[in-house]
Amino acid sequence: LICMCCCFDADSTVWRLKLDDRTMEEVALRDLTIGDSVLSLNPVTRETYWEEVMAKVHYSAFDGGRQFSSMRTLVLASNASITLSHTHFIFAQAGGDEAAQELVRARDVQVGDWLLHHDVSTGETAAEPVVSIEPDVRRQKRSFFLTSPYVLVNNISASPYMGAHPRIAAYQHAV
């Protein structure tokens, strides 16, 4: 069910909860550890919550952590961007309808589609159009697993799903 070639750029960031003082810090995926709590965004309700990192892959020489992979960079109108493998899932809406987000593969996102961008400082989430795509960039890859189908990567609503069959992913998204 999982294709291990589906990942985010290792330099992508997430928000991690600091347990000592209950504040949050922005951290690169390369620095995540199992047990960290990362900020997630439900694309339907647009509510944020914390989710624990259950596992991670591509973090060492033994599991491909030093390899470079072909990825796509999706750039939004605000210049926010996310770089992920072509088959990784992300929440998007085609054709300018910013209301409903669907789980799609990154390779299927087109210029003019809408992604959700979250402003951590204000707590506001807004749909923004994709204004450009870099179709084939080479980056080191990182993946991590949550029990939730939602996560914020570079403040953009994405999924930790990595290449599961679309019917399975759609079922998991609905649950």
Side-chain angles (χ1 to χ4, degrees):
L1 300 178
I2 292 177
C3 169
M4 295 314 242
C5 61
C6 307
C7 305
F8 297 104
D9 175 6
D11 292 326
S12 297
T13 61
V14 294
W15 289 95
R16 176 172 61 189
L17 182 64
K18 292 171 55 177
L19 296 178
D20 55 345
D21 61 3
R22 305 293 295 171
T23 60
M24 58 186 188
E25 63 185 344
E26 194 169 20
V27 62
L29 293 186
R30 68 176 68 252
D31 298 324
L32 272 184
T33 59
I34 293 173
D36 282 347
S37 292
V38 297
L39 191 61
S40 297
L41 173 77
N42 181 317
V44 177
T45 65
R46 298 189 181 190
E47 294 176 337
T48 58
Y49 59 94
W50 297 99
E51 188 69 34
E52 185 178 345
V53 175
M54 306 299 287
K56 58 186 193 167
V57 293
H58 306 311
Y59 279 77
S60 73
F62 300 107
D63 69 352
R66 294 188 183 152
Q67 296 174 356
F68 285 78
S69 295
S70 176
M71 298 187 176
R72 298 184 97 197
T73 299
L74 309 174
V75 181
L76 304 182
S78 66
N79 212 32
S81 66
I82 187 169
T83 301
L84 62 172
S85 60
H86 299 269
T87 55
H88 202 104
F89 284 104
I90 189 164
F91 293 96
Q93 181 56 44
D97 178 2
E98 62 181 89
Q101 299 285 308
E102 296 178 15
L103 194 60
V104 298
R105 293 183 190 275
R107 69 175 174 226
D108 297 327
V109 175
Q110 302 295 318
V111 169
D113 289 352
W114 293 78
L115 304 181
L116 291 178
H117 182 238
H118 183 73
D119 184 332
V120 175
S121 64
T122 65
E124 297 293 319
T125 301
E128 288 188 40
V130 175
V131 295
S132 67
I133 297 173
E134 296 176 43
D136 192 23
V137 295
R138 305 289 291 172
R139 298 286 191 268
Q140 282 188 309
K141 55 189 176 180
R142 296 293 186 271
S143 287
F144 56 96
F145 298 93
L146 309 172
T147 57
S148 168
Y150 315 120
V151 69
L152 278 173
V153 175
N154 293 352
N155 296 323
I156 296 173
S157 179
S159 173
Y161 291 149
M162 305 181 330
H165 188 279
R167 283 189 178 159
I168 294 168
Y171 169 77
Q172 290 172 330
H173 173 61
V175 172

